[in-house]
Amino acid sequence: MIDKRPNCFALRALRLAIALAVALQGCQTLPRRDAVPLRFTERAVVVEAPGARYFPEQDIDPMLRDGVASVEREKQALASAGIPVSPLPPEYALALSGGGDRGAFAAGILVGWTEFGTRPEFKIVTGVSAGALIAPFAFLGPQYDYVLRRAAGSLGPKDIFHWRNWLTALSGEAIADDHPLSTLINRYVTADLLLEIAREYAKGRILLIGTTDLDARQSVVWNMGAIASSSNPQALELFRKVLLASASIPGIFPPVMIDVELDGKLFQEMHVDGGAMRQVFMLPRVYFQGLKDQGTYVQRERHLFVIRNGRIDPQWAPTVRRSTDVARRALEALIDEQGISDVHHLYSAAEHDGADFNLAYIDEGFDYPHPKQFAREFMGHLFDYAYQQSRNGYPWRKNPPKETF
């Protein structure tokens, strides 16, 4: 059975957050540059890599242009390798969801998939939150499986965050310090890694990471290959910032401030966990429709693989009659339902486009206790569970569970 004890991380975080909400009413806010005015959000430019991000809910055209350009780069790379470009080879896409320490599930699936021998090279990889931290290594392929294995087997809470003291928490912007996570990202996301991503980007491959612009309350999709290909010396720092922002749970971890320019004036955007808007994502349906409308859609065999780092079935647990416990359970239910809804959205889009849909998620067969977030034993067992399934041929689900409403 799944451990039904309250999640200590979430419970403590919620208690501190409630205290903060009350106490900070009389506290001075931290300084920042002006936020970008709402009607100009899409016009703001990230100087380190202009044009390397999208606001797909507002303007799909930049994504369409880059999508067409990626196919042209792919054709050139295939032609240079002596591979026919008509028809184009099958397109494989991978979407990695958030899930905190349950990201060990995706790591196990990928490493086991390599050993099974059928793991494809993905044309497109997307990631949110925990999935964002895995995405660059999944994108570059099996030679980085050692990173996924190491992260799932040797990391503990102190490698991700540490709690701030009450005084710092009450006067700051978060109740935990993300310096350990930032250090971890810096250790593995190096200039050499960016060069490898840039080489794959030049072949037409796409790596996308999702964050949430908290000021505009919009999803932002970052073209990480374009950032990696930028000649700006600060591109590496921006790449790291985007990964950190995508995994920054609002209120628990500090938001990531990203400087942008608009009409010669500097502004600052506040970015947090991409899961605040989308738990998992892929190219939106309007993207393919836009390509069809402008006559640039390329017909090819398409396969979508979605890894949800979480359960699908409802998790029963008795709830204590206490405000923090009631609020925590309600918040967990909201997040889970959003994530499942996002999976259904991807399935619907794949069905509409005629793509082969494949889904992996943590099923009822995994029942190791989960006493606290980023417990090394829990992550190791979850990795092994997914790895053993995948190395023997993972039973990908062709349909998400039926919605009950």
Side-chain angles (χ1 to χ4, degrees):
M1 297 292 291
I2 292 292
D3 187 9
K4 303 303 183 183
R5 288 175 293 175
N7 184 308
C8 297
F9 178 83
L11 182 56
R12 185 176 179 186
L14 185 59
R15 285 173 174 167
L16 288 173
I18 291 171
L20 278 171
V22 175
L24 288 180
Q25 291 181 18
C27 295
Q28 185 177 4
T29 57
L30 295 173
R32 61 168 292 187
R33 285 199 178 107
D34 289 341
V36 179
L38 177 59
R39 67 182 186 276
F40 300 127
T41 298
E42 295 82 18
R43 287 182 49 206
V45 174
V46 182
V47 177
E48 295 90 338
R53 64 178 186 167
Y54 318 108
F55 295 86
E57 296 171 0
Q58 301 297 321
D59 184 7
I60 198 65
D61 287 345
M63 185 178 277
L64 292 177
R65 289 194 296 270
D66 284 355
V68 172
S70 78
V71 173
E72 292 305 311
R73 293 195 303 274
E74 181 183 7
K75 289 179 178 179
Q76 292 173 10
L78 291 172
S80 297
I83 301 173
V85 298
S86 183
L88 284 172
E91 176 184 280
Y92 294 91
L94 173 68
L96 298 164
S97 85
D101 56 4
R102 293 177 177 85
F105 178 72
I109 292 289
L110 289 166
V111 176
W113 199 352
T114 298
E115 293 200 15
F116 185 63
T118 61
R119 178 175 162 184
E121 179 180 87
F122 296 104
K123 161 77 173 180
I124 308 168
V125 176
T126 72
V128 172
S129 197
L133 302 179
I134 296 171
F137 309 105
F139 178 77
L140 289 176
Q143 66 267 34
Y144 280 95
D145 281 359
Y146 78 94
V147 176
L148 303 181
R149 187 184 291 272
R150 184 180 300 171
S154 62
L155 296 182
K158 292 181 180 179
D159 298 301
I160 307 299
F161 66 92
H162 65 75
W163 297 113
R164 290 173 165 168
N165 62 51
W166 275 98
L167 181 60
T168 303
L170 288 173
S171 61
E173 58 191 341
I175 60 179
D177 186 350
D178 64 358
H179 180 70
L181 178 57
S182 179
T183 300
L184 192 65
I185 291 172
N186 293 350
R187 182 188 308 164
Y188 290 105
V189 178
T190 63
D192 287 341
L193 184 127
L194 255 65
L195 286 175
E196 291 186 56
I197 291 174
R199 282 195 288 268
E200 297 306 309
Y201 176 74
K203 299 175 186 176
R205 298 179 64 210
I206 301 169
L207 173 61
L208 303 175
I209 298 298
T211 67
T212 299
D213 181 337
L214 207 54
D215 297 314
R217 208 163 77 174
Q218 288 190 35
S219 293
V220 183
V221 176
W222 297 81
N223 186 336
M224 305 302 278
I227 296 175
S229 302
S230 172
S231 60
N232 189 296
Q234 296 302 312
L236 174 59
E237 182 61 25
L238 175 62
F239 195 103
R240 291 167 169 172
K241 275 188 172 185
V242 172
L243 294 182
L244 181 61
S246 187
S248 294
I249 305 168
I252 297 178
F253 292 148
V256 174
M257 308 307 296
I258 295 180
D259 293 332
V260 295
E261 188 176 283
L262 176 64
D263 297 332
K265 182 179 178 181
L266 287 178
F267 291 86
Q268 205 167 47
E269 296 175 346
M270 181 181 288
H271 286 258
V272 297
D273 195 329
M277 298 293 290
R278 296 283 185 275
Q279 289 288 313
V280 63
F281 76 98
M282 188 43 70
L283 300 175
R285 183 182 297 182
V286 293
Y287 171 85
F288 291 108
Q289 188 59 52
L291 292 177
K292 292 174 182 177
D293 291 344
Q294 65 184 23
T296 55
Y297 178 80
V298 177
Q299 187 69 43
R300 66 195 300 183
E301 183 181 321
R302 288 185 165 88
H303 302 267
L304 171 61
F305 293 87
V306 180
I307 301 180
R308 171 171 162 76
N309 293 304
R311 300 285 292 263
I312 292 288
D313 55 314
Q315 294 300 288
W316 183 92
T319 304
V320 178
R321 291 184 65 179
R322 184 169 52 204
S323 60
T324 52
D325 291 83
V326 172
R328 175 183 59 82
R329 282 291 285 174
L331 183 60
E332 288 175 349
L334 177 64
I335 293 172
D336 284 346
E337 286 302 313
Q338 175 192 324
I340 295 169
S341 177
D342 290 338
V343 169
H344 278 272
H345 179 79
L346 291 183
Y347 172 73
S348 176
E351 189 176 42
H352 180 269
D353 194 53
D356 169 47
F357 180 84
N358 303 271
L359 172 65
Y361 56 84
I362 303 172
D363 59 29
E364 62 278 3
F366 181 75
D367 59 0
Y368 194 82
H370 192 197
K372 63 180 180 179
Q373 283 286 314
F374 300 103
R376 186 175 288 111
E377 297 80 8
F378 171 82
M379 293 176 65
H381 278 81
L382 181 55
F383 175 91
D384 288 340
Y385 180 77
Y387 166 77
Q388 292 298 335
Q389 285 189 308
S390 191
R391 73 188 294 265
N392 293 313
Y394 188 81
W396 294 92
R397 280 77 169 181
K398 293 297 182 179
N399 302 279
K402 292 183 179 179
E403 294 182 292
T404 57
F405 54 88

PDB file of all heavy atoms in Angstrom, residues 57-88:
ATOM      1  N   GLU A  57      -0.095  30.851 -26.456  1.00  0.00           N
ATOM      2  CA  GLU A  57      -1.504  31.159 -26.232  1.00  0.00           C
ATOM      3  C   GLU A  57      -1.889  32.506 -26.823  1.00  0.00           C
ATOM      4  O   GLU A  57      -3.068  32.788 -27.031  1.00  0.00           O
ATOM      5  CB  GLU A  57      -1.807  31.140 -24.728  1.00  0.00           C
ATOM      6  CG  GLU A  57      -1.625  29.773 -24.093  1.00  0.00           C
ATOM      7  CD  GLU A  57      -1.714  29.830 -22.587  1.00  0.00           C
ATOM      8  OE1 GLU A  57      -1.907  30.935 -22.046  1.00  0.00           O
ATOM      9  OE2 GLU A  57      -1.598  28.765 -21.939  1.00  0.00           O
ATOM     10  N   GLN A  58      -0.883  33.337 -27.111  1.00  0.00           N
ATOM     11  CA  GLN A  58      -1.141  34.671 -27.641  1.00  0.00           C
ATOM     12  C   GLN A  58      -0.774  34.820 -29.113  1.00  0.00           C
ATOM     13  O   GLN A  58      -1.479  35.459 -29.873  1.00  0.00           O
ATOM     14  CB  GLN A  58      -0.361  35.715 -26.804  1.00  0.00           C
ATOM     15  CG  GLN A  58      -0.728  35.719 -25.332  1.00  0.00           C
ATOM     16  CD  GLN A  58      -2.159  36.098 -25.089  1.00  0.00           C
ATOM     17  OE1 GLN A  58      -2.701  36.988 -25.756  1.00  0.00           O
ATOM     18  NE2 GLN A  58      -2.815  35.429 -24.142  1.00  0.00           N
ATOM     19  N   ASP A  59       0.363  34.238 -29.500  1.00  0.00           N
ATOM     20  CA  ASP A  59       0.861  34.425 -30.871  1.00  0.00           C
ATOM     21  C   ASP A  59       1.630  33.176 -31.293  1.00  0.00           C
ATOM     22  O   ASP A  59       2.743  32.932 -30.816  1.00  0.00           O
ATOM     23  CB  ASP A  59       1.763  35.661 -30.923  1.00  0.00           C
ATOM     24  CG  ASP A  59       2.233  35.983 -32.335  1.00  0.00           C
ATOM     25  OD1 ASP A  59       1.752  35.329 -33.287  1.00  0.00           O
ATOM     26  OD2 ASP A  59       3.082  36.882 -32.490  1.00  0.00           O
ATOM     27  N   ILE A  60       1.046  32.389 -32.176  1.00  0.00           N
ATOM     28  CA  ILE A  60       1.653  31.135 -32.607  1.00  0.00           C
ATOM     29  C   ILE A  60       2.632  31.325 -33.765  1.00  0.00           C
ATOM     30  O   ILE A  60       3.436  30.428 -34.074  1.00  0.00           O
ATOM     31  CB  ILE A  60       0.553  30.119 -33.008  1.00  0.00           C
ATOM     32  CG1 ILE A  60       1.107  28.674 -33.040  1.00  0.00           C
ATOM     33  CG2 ILE A  60      -0.064  30.497 -34.354  1.00  0.00           C
ATOM     34  CD1 ILE A  60       1.539  28.159 -31.707  1.00  0.00           C
ATOM     35  N   ASP A  61       2.623  32.486 -34.408  1.00  0.00           N
ATOM     36  CA  ASP A  61       3.431  32.694 -35.618  1.00  0.00           C
ATOM     37  C   ASP A  61       4.934  32.475 -35.410  1.00  0.00           C
ATOM     38  O   ASP A  61       5.577  31.832 -36.261  1.00  0.00           O
ATOM     39  CB  ASP A  61       3.178  34.089 -36.190  1.00  0.00           C
ATOM     40  CG  ASP A  61       1.810  34.203 -36.852  1.00  0.00           C
ATOM     41  OD1 ASP A  61       1.196  33.150 -37.117  1.00  0.00           O
ATOM     42  OD2 ASP A  61       1.347  35.333 -37.094  1.00  0.00           O
ATOM     43  N   PRO A  62       5.550  32.988 -34.333  1.00  0.00           N
ATOM     44  CA  PRO A  62       6.992  32.726 -34.161  1.00  0.00           C
ATOM     45  C   PRO A  62       7.313  31.239 -34.064  1.00  0.00           C
ATOM     46  O   PRO A  62       8.321  30.776 -34.609  1.00  0.00           O
ATOM     47  CB  PRO A  62       7.320  33.455 -32.849  1.00  0.00           C
ATOM     48  CG  PRO A  62       6.292  34.533 -32.746  1.00  0.00           C
ATOM     49  CD  PRO A  62       5.045  33.920 -33.299  1.00  0.00           C
ATOM     50  N   MET A  63       6.460  30.479 -33.403  1.00  0.00           N
ATOM     51  CA  MET A  63       6.680  29.044 -33.309  1.00  0.00           C
ATOM     52  C   MET A  63       6.524  28.374 -34.665  1.00  0.00           C
ATOM     53  O   MET A  63       7.270  27.438 -35.008  1.00  0.00           O
ATOM     54  CB  MET A  63       5.715  28.435 -32.286  1.00  0.00           C
ATOM     55  CG  MET A  63       5.929  26.963 -32.018  1.00  0.00           C
ATOM     56  SD  MET A  63       4.812  26.277 -30.747  1.00  0.00           S
ATOM     57  CE  MET A  63       5.699  26.762 -29.256  1.00  0.00           C
ATOM     58  N   LEU A  64       5.585  28.853 -35.458  1.00  0.00           N
ATOM     59  CA  LEU A  64       5.404  28.307 -36.803  1.00  0.00           C
ATOM     60  C   LEU A  64       6.639  28.544 -37.658  1.00  0.00           C
ATOM     61  O   LEU A  64       7.115  27.636 -38.355  1.00  0.00           O
ATOM     62  CB  LEU A  64       4.177  28.945 -37.470  1.00  0.00           C
ATOM     63  CG  LEU A  64       2.804  28.611 -36.887  1.00  0.00           C
ATOM     64  CD1 LEU A  64       1.724  29.389 -37.628  1.00  0.00           C
ATOM     65  CD2 LEU A  64       2.530  27.115 -36.967  1.00  0.00           C
ATOM     66  N   ARG A  65       7.169  29.752 -37.610  1.00  0.00           N
ATOM     67  CA  ARG A  65       8.364  30.067 -38.406  1.00  0.00           C
ATOM     68  C   ARG A  65       9.541  29.183 -38.018  1.00  0.00           C
ATOM     69  O   ARG A  65      10.252  28.642 -38.878  1.00  0.00           O
ATOM     70  CB  ARG A  65       8.732  31.549 -38.237  1.00  0.00           C
ATOM     71  CG  ARG A  65       7.774  32.522 -38.909  1.00  0.00           C
ATOM     72  CD  ARG A  65       8.379  33.912 -38.986  1.00  0.00           C
ATOM     73  NE  ARG A  65       8.597  34.482 -37.648  1.00  0.00           N
ATOM     74  CZ  ARG A  65       7.682  35.210 -36.995  1.00  0.00           C
ATOM     75  NH1 ARG A  65       6.496  35.446 -37.544  1.00  0.00           N
ATOM     76  NH2 ARG A  65       7.956  35.711 -35.806  1.00  0.00           N
ATOM     77  N   ASP A  66       9.735  29.014 -36.717  1.00  0.00           N
ATOM     78  CA  ASP A  66      10.857  28.193 -36.266  1.00  0.00           C
ATOM     79  C   ASP A  66      10.625  26.721 -36.576  1.00  0.00           C
ATOM     80  O   ASP A  66      11.577  25.971 -36.828  1.00  0.00           O
ATOM     81  CB  ASP A  66      11.067  28.390 -34.765  1.00  0.00           C
ATOM     82  CG  ASP A  66      11.738  29.719 -34.441  1.00  0.00           C
ATOM     83  OD1 ASP A  66      12.120  30.429 -35.383  1.00  0.00           O
ATOM     84  OD2 ASP A  66      11.879  30.040 -33.250  1.00  0.00           O
ATOM     85  N   GLY A  67       9.369  26.289 -36.547  1.00  0.00           N
ATOM     86  CA  GLY A  67       9.060  24.907 -36.891  1.00  0.00           C
ATOM     87  C   GLY A  67       9.392  24.600 -38.339  1.00  0.00           C
ATOM     88  O   GLY A  67       9.974  23.547 -38.654  1.00  0.00           O
ATOM     89  N   VAL A  68       9.026  25.499 -39.232  1.00  0.00           N
ATOM     90  CA  VAL A  68       9.344  25.331 -40.651  1.00  0.00           C
ATOM     91  C   VAL A  68      10.860  25.323 -40.855  1.00  0.00           C
ATOM     92  O   VAL A  68      11.403  24.498 -41.605  1.00  0.00           O
ATOM     93  CB  VAL A  68       8.688  26.446 -41.486  1.00  0.00           C
ATOM     94  CG1 VAL A  68       9.175  26.396 -42.935  1.00  0.00           C
ATOM     95  CG2 VAL A  68       7.162  26.337 -41.433  1.00  0.00           C
ATOM     96  N   ALA A  69      11.553  26.232 -40.152  1.00  0.00           N
ATOM     97  CA  ALA A  69      13.014  26.298 -40.279  1.00  0.00           C
ATOM     98  C   ALA A  69      13.668  25.018 -39.765  1.00  0.00           C
ATOM     99  O   ALA A  69      14.676  24.558 -40.324  1.00  0.00           O
ATOM    100  CB  ALA A  69      13.543  27.502 -39.512  1.00  0.00           C
ATOM    101  N   SER A  70      13.100  24.417 -38.722  1.00  0.00           N
ATOM    102  CA  SER A  70      13.684  23.180 -38.176  1.00  0.00           C
ATOM    103  C   SER A  70      13.590  22.041 -39.180  1.00  0.00           C
ATOM    104  O   SER A  70      14.499  21.204 -39.281  1.00  0.00           O
ATOM    105  CB  SER A  70      12.996  22.796 -36.859  1.00  0.00           C
ATOM    106  OG  SER A  70      11.739  22.195 -37.078  1.00  0.00           O
ATOM    107  N   VAL A  71      12.493  21.987 -39.931  1.00  0.00           N
ATOM    108  CA  VAL A  71      12.342  20.940 -40.943  1.00  0.00           C
ATOM    109  C   VAL A  71      13.371  21.141 -42.062  1.00  0.00           C
ATOM    110  O   VAL A  71      13.949  20.165 -42.572  1.00  0.00           O
ATOM    111  CB  VAL A  71      10.910  20.929 -41.509  1.00  0.00           C
ATOM    112  CG1 VAL A  71      10.794  19.966 -42.689  1.00  0.00           C
ATOM    113  CG2 VAL A  71       9.912  20.537 -40.425  1.00  0.00           C
ATOM    114  N   GLU A  72      13.612  22.387 -42.434  1.00  0.00           N
ATOM    115  CA  GLU A  72      14.624  22.657 -43.462  1.00  0.00           C
ATOM    116  C   GLU A  72      16.009  22.243 -42.986  1.00  0.00           C
ATOM    117  O   GLU A  72      16.793  21.662 -43.754  1.00  0.00           O
ATOM    118  CB  GLU A  72      14.608  24.143 -43.842  1.00  0.00           C
ATOM    119  CG  GLU A  72      13.354  24.577 -44.582  1.00  0.00           C
ATOM    120  CD  GLU A  72      13.105  23.726 -45.826  1.00  0.00           C
ATOM    121  OE1 GLU A  72      14.055  23.545 -46.616  1.00  0.00           O
ATOM    122  OE2 GLU A  72      11.970  23.233 -45.987  1.00  0.00           O
ATOM    123  N   ARG A  73      16.326  22.515 -41.720  1.00  0.00           N
ATOM    124  CA  ARG A  73      17.625  22.088 -41.179  1.00  0.00           C
ATOM    125  C   ARG A  73      17.718  20.561 -41.142  1.00  0.00           C
ATOM    126  O   ARG A  73      18.773  19.986 -41.433  1.00  0.00           O
ATOM    127  CB  ARG A  73      17.841  22.653 -39.771  1.00  0.00           C
ATOM    128  CG  ARG A  73      18.002  24.163 -39.713  1.00  0.00           C
ATOM    129  CD  ARG A  73      18.580  24.615 -38.375  1.00  0.00           C
ATOM    130  NE  ARG A  73      17.775  24.190 -37.233  1.00  0.00           N
ATOM    131  CZ  ARG A  73      16.724  24.857 -36.756  1.00  0.00           C
ATOM    132  NH1 ARG A  73      16.348  26.000 -37.335  1.00  0.00           N
ATOM    133  NH2 ARG A  73      16.044  24.413 -35.719  1.00  0.00           N
ATOM    134  N   GLU A  74      16.606  19.927 -40.806  1.00  0.00           N
ATOM    135  CA  GLU A  74      16.573  18.470 -40.773  1.00  0.00           C
ATOM    136  C   GLU A  74      16.835  17.891 -42.165  1.00  0.00           C
ATOM    137  O   GLU A  74      17.611  16.937 -42.326  1.00  0.00           O
ATOM    138  CB  GLU A  74      15.221  17.987 -40.251  1.00  0.00           C
ATOM    139  CG  GLU A  74      15.105  16.480 -40.148  1.00  0.00           C
ATOM    140  CD  GLU A  74      13.720  16.035 -39.698  1.00  0.00           C
ATOM    141  OE1 GLU A  74      12.813  16.876 -39.583  1.00  0.00           O
ATOM    142  OE2 GLU A  74      13.546  14.813 -39.461  1.00  0.00           O
ATOM    143  N   LYS A  75      16.208  18.465 -43.182  1.00  0.00           N
ATOM    144  CA  LYS A  75      16.398  17.989 -44.547  1.00  0.00           C
ATOM    145  C   LYS A  75      17.858  18.142 -44.977  1.00  0.00           C
ATOM    146  O   LYS A  75      18.433  17.244 -45.613  1.00  0.00           O
ATOM    147  CB  LYS A  75      15.488  18.753 -45.505  1.00  0.00           C
ATOM    148  CG  LYS A  75      14.006  18.401 -45.374  1.00  0.00           C
ATOM    149  CD  LYS A  75      13.175  19.213 -46.352  1.00  0.00           C
ATOM    150  CE  LYS A  75      11.702  18.848 -46.279  1.00  0.00           C
ATOM    151  NZ  LYS A  75      10.883  19.666 -47.215  1.00  0.00           N
ATOM    152  N   GLN A  76      18.452  19.264 -44.633  1.00  0.00           N
ATOM    153  CA  GLN A  76      19.854  19.494 -44.990  1.00  0.00           C
ATOM    154  C   GLN A  76      20.771  18.480 -44.311  1.00  0.00           C
ATOM    155  O   GLN A  76      21.705  17.952 -44.918  1.00  0.00           O
ATOM    156  CB  GLN A  76      20.254  20.919 -44.608  1.00  0.00           C
ATOM    157  CG  GLN A  76      19.565  22.004 -45.433  1.00  0.00           C
ATOM    158  CD  GLN A  76      19.843  23.399 -44.918  1.00  0.00           C
ATOM    159  OE1 GLN A  76      20.702  23.604 -44.055  1.00  0.00           O
ATOM    160  NE2 GLN A  76      19.111  24.382 -45.429  1.00  0.00           N
ATOM    161  N   ALA A  77      20.488  18.200 -43.021  1.00  0.00           N
ATOM    162  CA  ALA A  77      21.313  17.243 -42.281  1.00  0.00           C
ATOM    163  C   ALA A  77      21.163  15.837 -42.860  1.00  0.00           C
ATOM    164  O   ALA A  77      22.150  15.099 -42.999  1.00  0.00           O
ATOM    165  CB  ALA A  77      20.930  17.259 -40.807  1.00  0.00           C
ATOM    166  N   LEU A  78      19.945  15.459 -43.232  1.00  0.00           N
ATOM    167  CA  LEU A  78      19.716  14.142 -43.818  1.00  0.00           C
ATOM    168  C   LEU A  78      20.408  14.016 -45.174  1.00  0.00           C
ATOM    169  O   LEU A  78      21.036  12.991 -45.475  1.00  0.00           O
ATOM    170  CB  LEU A  78      18.213  13.893 -43.963  1.00  0.00           C
ATOM    171  CG  LEU A  78      17.417  13.697 -42.670  1.00  0.00           C
ATOM    172  CD1 LEU A  78      15.926  13.665 -42.971  1.00  0.00           C
ATOM    173  CD2 LEU A  78      17.848  12.420 -41.957  1.00  0.00           C
ATOM    174  N   ALA A  79      20.282  15.074 -45.979  1.00  0.00           N
ATOM    175  CA  ALA A  79      20.913  15.058 -47.303  1.00  0.00           C
ATOM    176  C   ALA A  79      22.431  14.939 -47.181  1.00  0.00           C
ATOM    177  O   ALA A  79      23.075  14.208 -47.941  1.00  0.00           O
ATOM    178  CB  ALA A  79      20.529  16.314 -48.080  1.00  0.00           C
ATOM    179  N   SER A  80      23.008  15.643 -46.211  1.00  0.00           N
ATOM    180  CA  SER A  80      24.456  15.579 -46.001  1.00  0.00           C
ATOM    181  C   SER A  80      24.906  14.184 -45.584  1.00  0.00           C
ATOM    182  O   SER A  80      26.029  13.764 -45.884  1.00  0.00           O
ATOM    183  CB  SER A  80      24.879  16.598 -44.929  1.00  0.00           C
ATOM    184  OG  SER A  80      24.592  17.918 -45.355  1.00  0.00           O
ATOM    185  N   ALA A  81      24.008  13.467 -44.900  1.00  0.00           N
ATOM    186  CA  ALA A  81      24.326  12.097 -44.464  1.00  0.00           C
ATOM    187  C   ALA A  81      23.946  11.059 -45.506  1.00  0.00           C
ATOM    188  O   ALA A  81      24.103   9.852 -45.276  1.00  0.00           O
ATOM    189  CB  ALA A  81      23.614  11.809 -43.141  1.00  0.00           C
ATOM    190  N   GLY A  82      23.437  11.508 -46.665  1.00  0.00           N
ATOM    191  CA  GLY A  82      23.064  10.593 -47.732  1.00  0.00           C
ATOM    192  C   GLY A  82      21.762   9.862 -47.482  1.00  0.00           C
ATOM    193  O   GLY A  82      21.526   8.781 -48.041  1.00  0.00           O
ATOM    194  N   ILE A  83      20.888  10.436 -46.644  1.00  0.00           N
ATOM    195  CA  ILE A  83      19.599   9.818 -46.316  1.00  0.00           C
ATOM    196  C   ILE A  83      18.499  10.517 -47.102  1.00  0.00           C
ATOM    197  O   ILE A  83      18.450  11.750 -47.148  1.00  0.00           O
ATOM    198  CB  ILE A  83      19.316   9.921 -44.803  1.00  0.00           C
ATOM    199  CG1 ILE A  83      20.435   9.227 -44.011  1.00  0.00           C
ATOM    200  CG2 ILE A  83      17.957   9.317 -44.457  1.00  0.00           C
ATOM    201  CD1 ILE A  83      20.338   9.427 -42.513  1.00  0.00           C
ATOM    202  N   PRO A  84      17.608   9.772 -47.750  1.00  0.00           N
ATOM    203  CA  PRO A  84      16.521  10.397 -48.512  1.00  0.00           C
ATOM    204  C   PRO A  84      15.663  11.306 -47.633  1.00  0.00           C
ATOM    205  O   PRO A  84      15.407  11.003 -46.467  1.00  0.00           O
ATOM    206  CB  PRO A  84      15.712   9.195 -49.016  1.00  0.00           C
ATOM    207  CG  PRO A  84      16.665   8.046 -48.994  1.00  0.00           C
ATOM    208  CD  PRO A  84      17.578   8.299 -47.832  1.00  0.00           C
ATOM    209  N   VAL A  85      15.220  12.399 -48.198  1.00  0.00           N
ATOM    210  CA  VAL A  85      14.400  13.357 -47.439  1.00  0.00           C
ATOM    211  C   VAL A  85      12.936  13.300 -47.855  1.00  0.00           C
ATOM    212  O   VAL A  85      12.114  14.047 -47.328  1.00  0.00           O
ATOM    213  CB  VAL A  85      14.935  14.793 -47.613  1.00  0.00           C
ATOM    214  CG1 VAL A  85      16.347  14.905 -47.074  1.00  0.00           C
ATOM    215  CG2 VAL A  85      14.882  15.232 -49.076  1.00  0.00           C
ATOM    216  N   SER A  86      12.624  12.422 -48.785  1.00  0.00           N
ATOM    217  CA  SER A  86      11.230  12.278 -49.205  1.00  0.00           C
ATOM    218  C   SER A  86      10.914  10.794 -49.357  1.00  0.00           C
ATOM    219  O   SER A  86      11.455  10.119 -50.245  1.00  0.00           O
ATOM    220  CB  SER A  86      10.985  12.999 -50.529  1.00  0.00           C
ATOM    221  OG  SER A  86       9.635  12.915 -50.913  1.00  0.00           O
ATOM    222  N   PRO A  87      10.080  10.245 -48.483  1.00  0.00           N
ATOM    223  CA  PRO A  87       9.462  10.974 -47.372  1.00  0.00           C
ATOM    224  C   PRO A  87      10.432  11.150 -46.208  1.00  0.00           C
ATOM    225  O   PRO A  87      11.433  10.433 -46.112  1.00  0.00           O
ATOM    226  CB  PRO A  87       8.314  10.064 -46.967  1.00  0.00           C
ATOM    227  CG  PRO A  87       8.837   8.687 -47.261  1.00  0.00           C
ATOM    228  CD  PRO A  87       9.660   8.835 -48.518  1.00  0.00           C
ATOM    229  N   LEU A  88      10.117  12.115 -45.339  1.00  0.00           N
ATOM    230  CA  LEU A  88      10.927  12.300 -44.146  1.00  0.00           C
ATOM    231  C   LEU A  88      10.765  11.091 -43.222  1.00  0.00           C
ATOM    232  O   LEU A  88       9.716  10.447 -43.197  1.00  0.00           O
ATOM    233  CB  LEU A  88      10.500  13.568 -43.405  1.00  0.00           C
ATOM    234  CG  LEU A  88      10.955  14.900 -44.006  1.00  0.00           C
ATOM    235  CD1 LEU A  88      10.287  16.064 -43.285  1.00  0.00           C
ATOM    236  CD2 LEU A  88      12.478  15.035 -43.935  1.00  0.00           C
TER     237      LEU A  88
END
